[in-house]
Amino acid sequence: MLKKIGRLFVIKTKWEAYIIIYALALGCTARGSQYIVDYPGWFGKLMFLATTGAVFLAGAKIFDALAYERQAREAAEAVSAKAEN
């Protein structure tokens, strides 16, 4: 039962990654707009850019991880297919 629940928290497809990144972007823009209110001027804008930049970095890392997992899965399947022959 715990494995079934645990699978809900694993990003398996690009579509799921897009949804997660969108949620991160919504949160970062809300937090960034609060920074602009709390810190008027250039520092608030800089903090807003930092929060959005963090989403870009996280999104890139998520996509890289998906690509790495796909390549590792394909390599494992190729090795198992070769071992069967």
Side-chain angles (χ1 to χ4, degrees), residues 1-8:
M1 183 65 180
L2 289 176
K3 285 186 178 183
K4 288 183 179 181
I5 294 172
R7 284 193 318 214
L8 293 172

Side-chain angles (χ1 to χ4, degrees), residues 3 5-7 13 20-21 25 29 37 42 44-47 50-52 57-58 60-61 63-64 66 71 75 84-85:
K3 285 186 178 183
I5 294 172
R7 284 193 318 214
T13 64
I20 296 295
I21 293 167
T29 55
V37 171
W42 64 271
K45 292 176 185 176
L46 181 68
M47 294 298 289
T51 58
T52 56
L57 293 174
K61 191 66 171 176
F63 285 132
D64 285 346
L66 284 175
Q71 290 173 351
E84 289 177 2
N85 293 330

Side-chain angles (χ1 to χ4, degrees), residues 64-80:
D64 285 346
L66 284 175
Y68 173 75
E69 288 174 355
R70 182 180 45 81
Q71 290 173 351
R73 186 175 49 250
E74 289 172 355
E77 289 173 358
V79 168
S80 66

